[in-house]
Amino acid sequence: MGKSGSGLSMGNRREARRQSSSTVRNVSSYGGGPSSRRGSSRPASSYPGSSRSSRTGSSQRGGYVHQPVDRSGRNVPPARSSRGASRGTARSASSAGRNSVSGTQSVRLGDIGRQERRQRASALSSSLFKKLLIVVAVLAIFAGAYAGLYYSGLFKVESVTVAGADHLTEEAVVDLADVPKDASMLTVDTNAIRQNVLTNGWVQDVQVNKVLPSTLQLQVTERTIQAVVEVTSKDAESTELWGVSTDGVWLMKIPDKDSEEAAGLSEKVYEDADAVLHVVDVPYGVVPEEGQPCTDDNVNNALSIIGGMTTELADQVKEVSADGAETTTLILDSGVEIAFGSADDIRDKERICLELLKEHEGTIAYINVRVVNRPTWRALG
């Protein structure tokens, strides 16, 4: 009984020693020991065998994994080696340094760019300002010179000449122009002068030219007279002769040759008035206005017939009776009357009249071609 107990005690003692040794090993692997029990804060690297662990982060010793633990007994993740950490730190510092230098350089370049732009803008503004001053100075000089010339009377209009007028005298055109007495060649209103001259029916167009130093030249283009129209006066007691141009404009009232009004007219007016056809028997109420288009249908129909004839018949016509558009009649030099009617089919009507006049020469007195496809004629009574 005693041996058994002693045997068991001996076994127990062996087991106790084995467990105690294992416990010691375990504690040593975690950096324990007497100092650990006393609350010492010595790092594990201060104990024997701990330098390898600090270099590699962990090692195997006696079949156990050596890994640091905190005071509560929890495992602490292995730290990077001091060499790797130092390298990482150096790279970080180098990168930070480069970024710092690059950022500084970018800031400095941006400042330089802004300064250059400011300098260019300032130089441009200064250049523009100088140019503006030069322009203002030049304009001021010209304005002063212009004012001096204007008030000096150096370019005052001294004479007005007329060219191209046949039916109007030079004095009549100058009176129409109405150039101001104190007019200057620099400021004279040539358009106003042109409009003044155009009020006359004979004037189709006029150009006002400045001939320095002191002359205005009026280059006139006149209309051509087509016929003389006998118009009943407003009081119905007399007849007035009015010239009408080829473009249907009332030229002027033609006075008697012996009147005071005729003294200021050119002889060309009377020469042309005697050479053209006369339109007679115009109904009462036609009121001509110098320089304005003719608006009477009867007169316009007669003018269309006169202007539209192209054969030798036109040379034989002496007068045109325009009492109505459909009853317009041509009176020939021979005394033959032709009821021509409207200004339609003029060439066909001319052809028929010439054939009848030739066929019945000396015996025919009247021809009617108002209806061109049914002409009629009558012999002398």
Side-chain angles (χ1 to χ4, degrees), residues 342-358:
S342 66
D344 299 326
D345 304 317
I346 293 179
R347 291 186 179 181
D348 291 337
K349 292 179 179 180
E350 281 187 283
R351 177 180 53 80
I352 294 171
C353 291
L354 290 173
E355 291 176 355
L356 292 173
L357 288 171
K358 184 178 181 180

PDB file of all heavy atoms in Angstrom, residues 342-358:
ATOM      1  N   SER A 342     -58.041 101.906-131.479  1.00  0.00           N
ATOM      2  CA  SER A 342     -57.058 101.676-130.408  1.00  0.00           C
ATOM      3  C   SER A 342     -55.685 101.386-130.997  1.00  0.00           C
ATOM      4  O   SER A 342     -55.531 101.126-132.189  1.00  0.00           O
ATOM      5  CB  SER A 342     -57.505 100.518-129.516  1.00  0.00           C
ATOM      6  OG  SER A 342     -57.484  99.305-130.245  1.00  0.00           O
ATOM      7  N   ALA A 343     -54.706 101.389-130.110  1.00  0.00           N
ATOM      8  CA  ALA A 343     -53.319 101.150-130.528  1.00  0.00           C
ATOM      9  C   ALA A 343     -52.983  99.665-130.573  1.00  0.00           C
ATOM     10  O   ALA A 343     -51.848  99.272-130.293  1.00  0.00           O
ATOM     11  CB  ALA A 343     -52.370 101.861-129.566  1.00  0.00           C
ATOM     12  N   ASP A 344     -53.965  98.842-130.981  1.00  0.00           N
ATOM     13  CA  ASP A 344     -53.744  97.400-131.138  1.00  0.00           C
ATOM     14  C   ASP A 344     -53.502  97.094-132.624  1.00  0.00           C
ATOM     15  O   ASP A 344     -54.035  97.756-133.503  1.00  0.00           O
ATOM     16  CB  ASP A 344     -54.961  96.608-130.646  1.00  0.00           C
ATOM     17  CG  ASP A 344     -55.240  96.838-129.167  1.00  0.00           C
ATOM     18  OD1 ASP A 344     -54.252  97.015-128.413  1.00  0.00           O
ATOM     19  OD2 ASP A 344     -56.422  96.864-128.768  1.00  0.00           O
ATOM     20  N   ASP A 345     -52.735  96.067-132.882  1.00  0.00           N
ATOM     21  CA  ASP A 345     -52.477  95.595-134.253  1.00  0.00           C
ATOM     22  C   ASP A 345     -52.023  96.730-135.164  1.00  0.00           C
ATOM     23  O   ASP A 345     -52.500  96.892-136.301  1.00  0.00           O
ATOM     24  CB  ASP A 345     -53.741  94.936-134.838  1.00  0.00           C
ATOM     25  CG  ASP A 345     -54.252  93.789-133.968  1.00  0.00           C
ATOM     26  OD1 ASP A 345     -53.414  92.989-133.499  1.00  0.00           O
ATOM     27  OD2 ASP A 345     -55.476  93.710-133.748  1.00  0.00           O
ATOM     28  N   ILE A 346     -51.109  97.540-134.690  1.00  0.00           N
ATOM     29  CA  ILE A 346     -50.686  98.727-135.424  1.00  0.00           C
ATOM     30  C   ILE A 346     -50.088  98.356-136.788  1.00  0.00           C
ATOM     31  O   ILE A 346     -50.431  98.961-137.820  1.00  0.00           O
ATOM     32  CB  ILE A 346     -49.682  99.545-134.590  1.00  0.00           C
ATOM     33  CG1 ILE A 346     -50.378 100.130-133.348  1.00  0.00           C
ATOM     34  CG2 ILE A 346     -49.078 100.672-135.429  1.00  0.00           C
ATOM     35  CD1 ILE A 346     -49.446 100.930-132.454  1.00  0.00           C
ATOM     36  N   ARG A 347     -49.252  97.363-136.838  1.00  0.00           N
ATOM     37  CA  ARG A 347     -48.590  97.025-138.102  1.00  0.00           C
ATOM     38  C   ARG A 347     -49.582  96.488-139.137  1.00  0.00           C
ATOM     39  O   ARG A 347     -49.496  96.811-140.329  1.00  0.00           O
ATOM     40  CB  ARG A 347     -47.488  96.007-137.846  1.00  0.00           C
ATOM     41  CG  ARG A 347     -46.316  96.584-137.069  1.00  0.00           C
ATOM     42  CD  ARG A 347     -45.167  95.596-136.963  1.00  0.00           C
ATOM     43  NE  ARG A 347     -44.048  96.178-136.234  1.00  0.00           N
ATOM     44  CZ  ARG A 347     -42.909  95.542-136.007  1.00  0.00           C
ATOM     45  NH1 ARG A 347     -42.747  94.291-136.452  1.00  0.00           N
ATOM     46  NH2 ARG A 347     -41.955  96.136-135.343  1.00  0.00           N
ATOM     47  N   ASP A 348     -50.532  95.687-138.724  1.00  0.00           N
ATOM     48  CA  ASP A 348     -51.539  95.178-139.659  1.00  0.00           C
ATOM     49  C   ASP A 348     -52.394  96.326-140.199  1.00  0.00           C
ATOM     50  O   ASP A 348     -52.734  96.363-141.386  1.00  0.00           O
ATOM     51  CB  ASP A 348     -52.431  94.139-138.972  1.00  0.00           C
ATOM     52  CG  ASP A 348     -51.678  92.845-138.666  1.00  0.00           C
ATOM     53  OD1 ASP A 348     -50.665  92.585-139.345  1.00  0.00           O
ATOM     54  OD2 ASP A 348     -52.095  92.112-137.746  1.00  0.00           O
ATOM     55  N   LYS A 349     -52.765  97.247-139.333  1.00  0.00           N
ATOM     56  CA  LYS A 349     -53.569  98.382-139.761  1.00  0.00           C
ATOM     57  C   LYS A 349     -52.778  99.271-140.738  1.00  0.00           C
ATOM     58  O   LYS A 349     -53.333  99.761-141.745  1.00  0.00           O
ATOM     59  CB  LYS A 349     -54.016  99.208-138.551  1.00  0.00           C
ATOM     60  CG  LYS A 349     -55.017  98.466-137.652  1.00  0.00           C
ATOM     61  CD  LYS A 349     -55.409  99.307-136.445  1.00  0.00           C
ATOM     62  CE  LYS A 349     -56.420  98.569-135.578  1.00  0.00           C
ATOM     63  NZ  LYS A 349     -56.837  99.344-134.391  1.00  0.00           N
ATOM     64  N   GLU A 350     -51.508  99.455-140.457  1.00  0.00           N
ATOM     65  CA  GLU A 350     -50.670 100.216-141.392  1.00  0.00           C
ATOM     66  C   GLU A 350     -50.630  99.553-142.768  1.00  0.00           C
ATOM     67  O   GLU A 350     -50.741 100.213-143.816  1.00  0.00           O
ATOM     68  CB  GLU A 350     -49.245 100.325-140.840  1.00  0.00           C
ATOM     69  CG  GLU A 350     -49.049 101.378-139.771  1.00  0.00           C
ATOM     70  CD  GLU A 350     -47.586 101.526-139.408  1.00  0.00           C
ATOM     71  OE1 GLU A 350     -47.063 100.664-138.667  1.00  0.00           O
ATOM     72  OE2 GLU A 350     -46.948 102.499-139.882  1.00  0.00           O
ATOM     73  N   ARG A 351     -50.431  98.270-142.794  1.00  0.00           N
ATOM     74  CA  ARG A 351     -50.326  97.533-144.065  1.00  0.00           C
ATOM     75  C   ARG A 351     -51.599  97.678-144.883  1.00  0.00           C
ATOM     76  O   ARG A 351     -51.564  97.943-146.096  1.00  0.00           O
ATOM     77  CB  ARG A 351     -50.037  96.060-143.772  1.00  0.00           C
ATOM     78  CG  ARG A 351     -49.981  95.177-145.022  1.00  0.00           C
ATOM     79  CD  ARG A 351     -49.681  93.742-144.615  1.00  0.00           C
ATOM     80  NE  ARG A 351     -50.592  93.259-143.616  1.00  0.00           N
ATOM     81  CZ  ARG A 351     -51.838  92.805-143.863  1.00  0.00           C
ATOM     82  NH1 ARG A 351     -52.309  92.833-145.122  1.00  0.00           N
ATOM     83  NH2 ARG A 351     -52.595  92.355-142.895  1.00  0.00           N
ATOM     84  N   ILE A 352     -52.751  97.523-144.260  1.00  0.00           N
ATOM     85  CA  ILE A 352     -54.033  97.634-144.974  1.00  0.00           C
ATOM     86  C   ILE A 352     -54.218  99.053-145.525  1.00  0.00           C
ATOM     87  O   ILE A 352     -54.654  99.249-146.671  1.00  0.00           O
ATOM     88  CB  ILE A 352     -55.186  97.248-144.029  1.00  0.00           C
ATOM     89  CG1 ILE A 352     -55.081  95.764-143.654  1.00  0.00           C
ATOM     90  CG2 ILE A 352     -56.528  97.562-144.668  1.00  0.00           C
ATOM     91  CD1 ILE A 352     -56.053  95.342-142.559  1.00  0.00           C
ATOM     92  N   CYS A 353     -53.910 100.051-144.716  1.00  0.00           N
ATOM     93  CA  CYS A 353     -54.068 101.435-145.168  1.00  0.00           C
ATOM     94  C   CYS A 353     -53.172 101.749-146.378  1.00  0.00           C
ATOM     95  O   CYS A 353     -53.615 102.393-147.349  1.00  0.00           O
ATOM     96  CB  CYS A 353     -53.746 102.398-144.022  1.00  0.00           C
ATOM     97  SG  CYS A 353     -54.950 102.399-142.677  1.00  0.00           S
ATOM     98  N   LEU A 354     -51.943 101.282-146.330  1.00  0.00           N
ATOM     99  CA  LEU A 354     -51.031 101.525-147.447  1.00  0.00           C
ATOM    100  C   LEU A 354     -51.504 100.826-148.715  1.00  0.00           C
ATOM    101  O   LEU A 354     -51.400 101.386-149.832  1.00  0.00           O
ATOM    102  CB  LEU A 354     -49.614 101.064-147.073  1.00  0.00           C
ATOM    103  CG  LEU A 354     -48.893 101.910-146.027  1.00  0.00           C
ATOM    104  CD1 LEU A 354     -47.575 101.252-145.620  1.00  0.00           C
ATOM    105  CD2 LEU A 354     -48.641 103.329-146.567  1.00  0.00           C
ATOM    106  N   GLU A 355     -52.059  99.645-148.616  1.00  0.00           N
ATOM    107  CA  GLU A 355     -52.569  98.922-149.785  1.00  0.00           C
ATOM    108  C   GLU A 355     -53.754  99.651-150.399  1.00  0.00           C
ATOM    109  O   GLU A 355     -53.856  99.797-151.642  1.00  0.00           O
ATOM    110  CB  GLU A 355     -52.952  97.500-149.389  1.00  0.00           C
ATOM    111  CG  GLU A 355     -51.761  96.605-149.040  1.00  0.00           C
ATOM    112  CD  GLU A 355     -52.204  95.229-148.564  1.00  0.00           C
ATOM    113  OE1 GLU A 355     -53.439  95.021-148.416  1.00  0.00           O
ATOM    114  OE2 GLU A 355     -51.334  94.366-148.333  1.00  0.00           O
ATOM    115  N   LEU A 356     -54.687 100.121-149.559  1.00  0.00           N
ATOM    116  CA  LEU A 356     -55.861 100.835-150.067  1.00  0.00           C
ATOM    117  C   LEU A 356     -55.474 102.182-150.679  1.00  0.00           C
ATOM    118  O   LEU A 356     -56.036 102.593-151.715  1.00  0.00           O
ATOM    119  CB  LEU A 356     -56.874 101.032-148.936  1.00  0.00           C
ATOM    120  CG  LEU A 356     -57.558  99.758-148.417  1.00  0.00           C
ATOM    121  CD1 LEU A 356     -58.409 100.063-147.196  1.00  0.00           C
ATOM    122  CD2 LEU A 356     -58.421  99.146-149.526  1.00  0.00           C
ATOM    123  N   LEU A 357     -54.555 102.864-150.047  1.00  0.00           N
ATOM    124  CA  LEU A 357     -54.107 104.144-150.592  1.00  0.00           C
ATOM    125  C   LEU A 357     -53.430 103.974-151.952  1.00  0.00           C
ATOM    126  O   LEU A 357     -53.605 104.798-152.862  1.00  0.00           O
ATOM    127  CB  LEU A 357     -53.138 104.825-149.617  1.00  0.00           C
ATOM    128  CG  LEU A 357     -53.747 105.397-148.336  1.00  0.00           C
ATOM    129  CD1 LEU A 357     -52.647 105.833-147.375  1.00  0.00           C
ATOM    130  CD2 LEU A 357     -54.689 106.567-148.655  1.00  0.00           C
ATOM    131  N   LYS A 358     -52.699 102.910-152.109  1.00  0.00           N
ATOM    132  CA  LYS A 358     -52.034 102.651-153.383  1.00  0.00           C
ATOM    133  C   LYS A 358     -53.024 102.206-154.444  1.00  0.00           C
ATOM    134  O   LYS A 358     -52.940 102.611-155.627  1.00  0.00           O
ATOM    135  CB  LYS A 358     -50.966 101.589-153.176  1.00  0.00           C
ATOM    136  CG  LYS A 358     -50.140 101.312-154.427  1.00  0.00           C
ATOM    137  CD  LYS A 358     -49.063 100.279-154.152  1.00  0.00           C
ATOM    138  CE  LYS A 358     -48.223 100.015-155.383  1.00  0.00           C
ATOM    139  NZ  LYS A 358     -47.153  99.006-155.142  1.00  0.00           N
TER     140      LYS A 358
END
